Amino acid sequence: MLIGHNVEDGVLHLEIRRDLDISSRAAATLEIEMLLFTHRPYDRVRVQLPTMDPSPASLSVLARARRLCGLRGVPLAVVGPPVRDDRLANHPSVVREA
């Protein structure tokens, strides 16, 4: 699966799990279309990108999701990747289990 998902409080959360290339673009688009149709009704859709600099194929999939949401009158929000700060792991205030 190229797209992860869950529904929480009326929001369909979609996650593009890796930056897409031309060969995975169509499959990811179909997955998103299926999820949008399967998990109705929802109040809005949130798409999480895998990187701060997504590939053209990832942006193409995002544009298709935007179009599909627009046709249904559902707001779409786009967020960047989760912040992973390795410096935090070595911080002295972080409690580690023995």
Side-chain angles (χ1 to χ4, degrees), residues 2-5 13-18 46-49 82:
L2 299 168
I3 307 297
H5 75 282
H13 297 272
L14 302 174
E15 174 193 5
I16 301 175
R17 294 189 173 176
R18 64 176 174 86
R46 177 184 169 271
V47 177
Q48 182 174 4
L49 296 173

Side-chain angles (χ1 to χ4, degrees), residues 10-90:
V11 179
L12 174 60
H13 297 272
L14 302 174
E15 174 193 5
I16 301 175
R17 294 189 173 176
R18 64 176 174 86
D19 209 17
L20 302 172
D21 55 23
I22 197 72
S23 63
S24 57
R25 180 180 65 180
T29 299
L30 287 174
E31 284 182 38
I32 288 177
E33 285 183 40
M34 180 208 51
L35 291 167
L36 289 173
F37 287 119
T38 303
H39 292 288
R40 287 185 294 186
Y42 40 80
D43 299 326
R44 61 190 163 120
V45 175
R46 177 184 169 271
V47 177
Q48 182 174 4
L49 296 173
T51 149
M52 292 301 286
D53 187 24
S55 67
S58 293
L59 293 175
S60 173
V61 169
L62 180 62
R64 178 70 176 160
R66 180 178 167 265
R67 227 178 352 258
L68 290 169
C69 289
L71 290 172
R72 288 165 186 74
V74 177
L76 174 74
V78 179
V79 297
V83 176
R84 292 186 174 97
D85 193 349
D86 293 333
R87 295 174 297 170
L88 205 63
N90 297 322

